[in-house]
Amino acid sequence: MQTEKEMTTPNAPTAIGAEQSNSEYNNIITRKQGYFNPSAEEIFEAQMQYERENSPSYMETVSMPELYEMVYPAKPPIIDGFLYNGTYLFVGSPKVGKSFMMAQIAYHVSSGKPMWNNVVRKGTVLYLALEDDYRRLQERLYRMFGTETTSNLFFSVASNSLNGGLIEQLDGFIHEHHNTSLIIIDTLQKIRETAGDTYSYSRDYDIIAQLKAFSDKNNICLLIVHHTRKQKADDNFDTISGTNGLLGAADGAFVMYKSRRTDMGATIEISGRDQPDRKILLKRNTETLCWDLDKIIYDKFKAPPEPLLEKIAVLVNEHNPTWQGTATELLSKLEIDDMKPNTLSLKLNVNVGRLYSEYYIWYTNKRNHNGRFIMFQYDIEHPVVPNTETSKYQYTPINNDSMITGEMTVCSESEKSFDDMTDAEKENFLFTSY
């Protein structure tokens, strides 16, 4: 018996590259407990995979079945049907009303109040108003929203350039404000490099790519205000100043324009990766100077009904907020007989975003030692969809003792042109057109 103990060497290798512990206890965990000791064959395969991945000729690829197995978290819009996570250009000619629109978006996101009867998900907002000063910001915001303030909205009128440390500044802000969902940069020209006046596709693409990498890393929306060029184009997105590299690297763009500068209405065209193309007609509120929704020309695309998601919404809701089980158990619970468990999982994997956006249900698909299991969680804190008939948000006009002097001048095609206005009327009109 003593001889048998001496033959068992404490540090004898048990497999390639592995040794037993010096402990007098055997710490092997069985497969039944969910863990196992790798075999020599498994260790060899892992070593070969490591060598392949570190080879200069290695390219990571994903097969179609593997792609369908992946579950990407849902990314709810910041403003339903209008503003999404990612990096977007907001483009328009000078004095068309971009800065008023930026203030309006910033106020609604930071306060969580519906905008144009659209659901808004509340979050902290940083607005870099780099072409303004704090006095002008104060006047503009007071004219638009009166004394209704929000503590989640922050402003700065100066920042570093993109090559001079802007990303570090934005990282620092997000580190202090973890619930940041929107950063507005007004304007692009203020943060880009100033060396030379010539721009190339690669330089424009690189500028937006750096900003996009930042927004993707932090899962926020980065809205960059930019100008249009003077030349006309059949496609309004071709009027974006600079090369196509700007739009090519961005997730999308908003183009804001008027038929005439003295018009009190404006149009916004939207094109992006996460939302369908839309055209929104707006009218200026002559009391608050906010932009009111007039009409949507291209309404948001509505996908055809998905019976599976509808059945899940009956199972998981505010009254029964959670469910967990295997795909087989879910099929039985939903009384679906003509679908295989694997097909069910794949359909859910690719519809995770739609399941949340339409029914506010979070979905996860994980594997443990017993196999894969599905979990649904209803978001009981989701924003309430406003009733378009009873809850249209109205801006409160300010009193007559406003800091803004002079009366608002409404100009239409049948009234004065800008050249025919008095000096006071011109000054007042320009204030309303940033």
Side-chain angles (χ1 to χ4, degrees):
M1 191 70 176
Q2 179 68 27
T3 304
E4 183 177 356
K5 287 185 178 180
E6 291 175 354
M7 292 175 62
T8 306
T9 306
N11 296 324
T14 58
I16 298 175
E19 295 183 349
Q20 287 182 336
S21 169
N22 287 328
S23 171
E24 60 181 306
Y25 298 104
N26 190 337
N27 291 325
I28 295 177
I29 303 176
T30 66
R31 292 174 184 266
K32 184 177 180 181
Q33 294 173 289
Y35 301 92
F36 60 91
N37 289 321
S39 65
E41 181 180 355
E42 289 168 333
I43 294 176
F44 177 76
E45 290 179 355
Q47 182 176 353
M48 293 298 295
Q49 180 65 20
Y50 175 82
E51 293 178 359
R52 283 196 300 269
E53 293 179 358
N54 286 273
S55 170
S57 61
Y58 175 76
M59 176 185 292
E60 182 180 359
T61 60
V62 177
S63 68
M64 188 172 179
E66 289 172 332
L67 183 63
Y68 275 38
E69 287 287 347
M70 297 178 181
V71 180
Y72 295 97
K75 298 189 342 183
I78 296 174
I79 301 178
D80 193 24
F82 183 73
L83 193 63
Y84 294 74
N85 286 340
T87 298
Y88 293 86
L89 300 170
F90 196 99
V91 185
S93 61
K95 306 300 186 289
V96 76
K98 300 186 300 296
S99 293
F100 278 91
M101 178 57 69
M102 293 303 101
Q104 192 168 339
I105 292 172
Y107 177 81
H108 280 275
V109 174
S110 60
S111 65
K113 294 180 178 179
M115 180 172 171
W116 303 331
N117 295 313
N118 290 329
V119 169
V120 175
R121 287 165 179 83
K122 184 178 180 180
T124 296
V125 178
L126 173 62
Y127 184 0
L128 301 184
L130 305 179
E131 291 187 340
D132 281 311
D133 55 41
Y134 289 121
R135 177 195 61 80
R136 185 182 294 170
L137 281 172
Q138 184 189 69
E139 292 177 347
R140 186 181 305 152
L141 294 167
Y142 180 62
R143 183 65 181 266
M144 297 176 72
F145 310 113
T147 57
E148 292 294 327
T149 62
T150 165
S151 60
N152 291 321
L153 177 52
F154 296 84
F155 299 91
S156 180
V157 296
S159 75
N160 293 334
S161 67
L162 186 57
N163 291 339
L166 174 64
I167 297 299
E168 288 76 8
Q169 286 184 314
L170 300 182
D171 271 326
F173 181 86
I174 290 181
H175 180 73
E176 295 180 2
H177 305 87
H178 299 288
N179 62 336
T180 299
S181 62
L182 172 63
I183 295 178
I184 299 172
I185 299 177
D186 188 357
T187 64
L188 174 64
Q189 189 61 32
K190 286 289 187 176
I191 64 165
R192 68 186 306 167
E193 69 278 6
T194 57
D197 295 328
T198 59
Y199 304 115
S200 65
Y201 181 96
S202 60
R203 182 180 297 180
D204 283 347
Y205 191 96
D206 181 62
I207 289 171
I208 302 301
Q210 291 182 58
L211 295 169
K212 176 173 167 52
F214 170 80
S215 66
D216 289 348
K217 179 187 74 172
N218 293 285
N219 195 30
I220 65 168
C221 175
L222 192 58
L223 198 55
I224 307 167
V225 179
H226 190 43
H227 295 297
T228 54
R229 56 182 173 83
K230 292 182 179 180
Q231 294 87 348
K232 301 296 182 181
D234 294 334
D235 185 346
N236 286 312
F237 292 93
D238 289 335
T239 64
I240 297 175
S241 179
T243 71
N244 289 333
L246 295 176
L247 184 57
D251 291 298
F254 301 74
V255 178
M256 185 176 186
Y257 58 89
K258 293 181 177 181
S259 298
R260 284 177 31 171
R261 178 164 295 187
T262 54
D263 286 347
M264 296 309 296
T267 301
I268 295 180
E269 292 190 22
I270 307 173
S271 181
R273 294 169 180 161
D274 289 328
Q275 72 263 56
D277 295 350
R278 307 181 75 188
K279 180 182 288 187
I280 299 176
L281 304 186
L282 304 173
K283 282 192 175 181
R284 201 61 170 274
N285 186 312
T286 58
E287 293 184 324
T288 65
L289 308 185
C290 294
W291 289 105
D292 293 334
L293 178 65
D294 182 22
K295 186 190 302 182
I296 298 177
I297 303 298
Y298 305 137
D299 204 351
K300 59 183 179 181
F301 170 76
K302 187 172 180 62
E306 174 54 70
L308 174 60
L309 303 186
E310 293 176 350
K311 286 178 176 290
I312 293 173
V314 174
L315 173 64
V316 182
N317 46 58
E318 58 184 334
H319 305 294
N320 182 41
T322 60
W323 187 91
Q324 179 176 319
T326 65
T328 301
E329 291 170 339
L330 180 59
L331 287 173
S332 176
K333 189 72 175 179
L334 299 179
E335 299 181 350
I336 298 176
D337 301 323
D338 57 348
M339 186 181 299
K340 295 181 179 180
N342 183 58
T343 302
L344 171 70
S345 296
L346 296 183
K347 287 177 73 70
L348 289 174
N349 291 349
V350 300
N351 282 286
V352 58
R354 185 175 176 186
L355 185 60
Y356 182 85
S357 64
E358 295 184 14
Y359 303 104
Y360 301 109
I361 298 174
W362 298 110
Y363 158 75
T364 55
N365 186 343
K366 296 183 179 180
R367 180 186 294 276
N368 61 14
H369 59 279
N370 291 324
R372 284 196 174 274
F373 70 94
I374 292 169
M375 172 178 278
F376 297 116
Q377 177 74 48
Y378 181 79
D379 184 6
I380 59 175
E381 297 182 353
H382 71 82
V384 177
V385 179
N387 187 316
T388 57
E389 296 181 356
T390 61
S391 61
K392 183 177 180 180
Y393 181 76
Q394 298 291 339
Y395 301 98
T396 304
I398 60 176
N399 297 326
N400 293 329
D401 59 350
S402 165
M403 291 181 292
I404 310 303
T405 60
E407 296 182 355
M408 173 64 192
T409 301
V410 181
C411 298
S412 64
E413 294 183 1
S414 61
E415 297 177 342
K416 294 180 181 179
S417 67
F418 184 80
D419 293 335
D420 293 331
M421 295 179 191
T422 66
D423 290 342
E425 289 170 339
K426 288 181 178 180
E427 182 180 357
N428 185 67
F429 180 81
L430 288 174
F431 174 80
T432 68
S433 303
Y434 286 103

